[in-house]
Amino acid sequence: MLERLEAEAIQAADVDGVTFADLGFGGNVVRALAELGADKPFPIQAATAPDVLSGKDVLGRGRTGSGKTIAFGAPMVERLMALWAESGKAGGKRQIGRAPRALILAPTRELALQIDRTVQPIARSVGLFTTQIYGGVPQGRQVGALQRGVDIVIGTPGRIEDLLEQGRLDLSEVVITVLDEADHMCDLGFLEPVQRILRETSEGGQKLLFSATLDKGVAQLVDEFLVEPAVHEVAGEDQASSTIDHRVLVIEHRDKPAIIEQLADREGKTLIFARTRAFAEMLADQLDDAGIPAVSLHGDLNQSRRTRNLAQLTSGRVNVLVATDVAARGIHVDDIDLVIQADAPDEYKTYLHRSGRTGRAGKQGTVVTLIPRQRQRRMNELLDRAEIEADFVPAIPGDQLLTDLAQAGALAAAEA
């Protein structure tokens, strides 16, 4: 099935001079996009918008950071308005308790919140309402929003399925469904819940699926739910992208904390990956003690702490975030210019997702992976599978190379 899906690769040069208005967006949406800092479309936005606006199913393959939230969010809002007008209700009053007509599914609550931050102002510009539905918090406020009536639901599969089973959420009028980071949803074991949720939506509704990789689970979703989709891949924004400099430092285990400290002592935002929650906490505390403000993000933190820690990074109050993989999948901060893998990943897909946190939206980024000598062969194999070329360099605390790497990211941040 997937072999038959030829991706239409979009080069940045293909969209030179194209505006959002040219793509068919109305004045309100164009103004809302400008206020979000989107003056002209990125390649994936220019590629997918005409298909979404015409009602086609879409399979989008682009790295995170290629601008895909706007790529599905803006045309979805515009399409809802067109369908509303076609139904003859355009001038009518919105009913209290109306069922949602669009659904955006995300693997993590952090990602759901970040999607809402982009989609909500676009929706509000034309009088549509969004609400977020995710676990980890009491459901009362979410149920209240549904009772008042919303147009677009943005949420995670677990809580959405809970509310469906309780009869508090009706998806039967959903005519546009978006699956974001579909591969990660499958990795987290959400394939079957996602299938059940999609079957609750309106038959023949439009489906938009975005995924960095097309694994078996994603292939099943494409097979069952997408009808002759338009397939788009952002060319020149693959993982070997020239915007990301990949380095592997071969180190002694005992030197790891001192090397991380030297790399993280810099201007610009740094994201550090740790394998365990305990190591993430320990690193954040150690950096704090060294006068480098840092916070952690992992599954042991409650939702308000996670939101607060992420907000501290976004606002620039701290420049270093130490995260575990599951927590980090929700991080979509455009100006992270250095990623440090304190623990090397076991799978190439994990490497791709981690490195996708930097070099976003065409900006420069650096990915530094720390490994012991005995892991070099495994790391080489992993990079081969990820189709990434990286220099392997021995390093010890105090090396000029570490200072240079820290400054390279800071320079990139300053130039951006």
Side-chain angles (χ1 to χ4, degrees), residues 123-246:
R124 203 172 46 222
S125 75
V126 294
L128 296 180
F129 289 85
T130 68
T131 198
Q132 313 140 13
I133 293 183
Y134 53 85
V137 294
Q139 67 176 43
R141 189 180 294 179
Q142 298 171 2
V143 171
L146 292 171
Q147 287 168 344
R148 286 192 297 279
V150 299
D151 304 288
I152 302 166
V153 165
I154 302 167
T156 53
R159 175 60 59 89
I160 284 176
E161 200 167 36
D162 286 347
L163 296 186
L164 277 171
E165 285 168 2
Q166 294 170 29
R168 295 175 184 271
L169 174 60
D170 174 11
L171 297 180
S172 63
E173 290 184 36
V174 165
V175 288
I176 307 176
T177 305
V178 179
L179 299 183
D180 195 16
E181 295 202 359
D183 48 349
H184 185 42
M185 270 193 278
C186 294
D187 289 345
L188 292 177
F190 286 137
L191 174 61
E192 288 180 5
V194 166
Q195 288 172 311
R196 290 192 293 267
I197 289 166
L198 288 178
R199 290 172 195 139
E200 295 287 326
T201 63
S202 176
E203 203 171 325
Q206 188 176 7
K207 309 286 190 298
L208 317 176
L209 187 149
F210 290 81
S211 187
T213 58
L214 293 179
D215 295 25
K216 288 197 193 84
V218 179
Q220 268 179 265
L221 292 172
V222 172
D223 260 345
E224 181 177 353
F225 296 105
L226 272 64
V227 180
E228 295 179 4
V231 186
H232 296 289
E233 186 152 16
V234 185
E237 297 215 6
D238 58 357
Q239 294 297 339
S241 157
S242 59
T243 63
I244 300 180
D245 178 21
H246 298 269

Side-chain angles (χ1 to χ4, degrees), residues 305-328:
R305 271 287 300 283
R306 286 163 75 162
T307 305
R308 191 164 71 240
N309 287 1
L310 196 49
Q312 284 187 280
L313 179 75
T314 310
S315 67
R317 199 169 311 141
V318 304
N319 273 347
V320 182
L321 181 69
V322 190
T324 55
D325 283 305
V326 171

Side-chain angles (χ1 to χ4, degrees), residues 262-283:
Q262 197 177 336
L263 286 167
D265 189 8
R266 57 190 292 275
E267 300 293 323
K269 294 196 170 96
T270 305
L271 174 58
I272 303 174
F273 282 95
R275 179 165 296 150
T276 66
R277 298 163 181 183
F279 188 40
E281 279 287 340
M282 192 196 89
L283 273 179

Side-chain angles (χ1 to χ4, degrees), residues 51-106:
D51 288 320
V52 179
L53 291 172
S54 68
K56 285 189 79 164
D57 287 356
V58 169
L59 175 59
R61 297 181 60 188
R63 306 203 300 112
T64 46
S66 50
K68 65 182 162 63
T69 306
I70 287 174
F72 61 71
M76 181 183 78
V77 166
E78 199 71 56
R79 174 93 180 131
L80 283 179
M81 295 309 287
L83 292 170
W84 187 254
E86 283 168 24
S87 70
K89 299 177 187 168
K93 200 148 167 37
R94 301 283 152 84
Q95 314 95 319
I96 293 289
R98 66 187 176 283
R101 292 177 301 131
L103 170 67
I104 302 173
L105 281 174

Side-chain angles (χ1 to χ4, degrees), residues 242-245 336-337 358-360 362-366 409 412-413 415-416:
S242 59
T243 63
I244 300 180
D245 178 21
I336 291 170
D337 46 65
T358 188
R360 294 165 68 82
K363 293 177 182 162
Q364 291 295 317
T366 305
E415 284 164 13

Side-chain angles (χ1 to χ4, degrees), residues 341-365:
Q341 306 196 74
D343 295 310
D346 290 322
E347 291 184 23
Y348 81 97
K349 272 172 36 185
T350 307
Y351 188 102
L352 293 180
H353 286 305
R354 287 176 174 187
S355 59
R357 305 297 121 190
T358 188
R360 294 165 68 82
K363 293 177 182 162
Q364 291 295 317

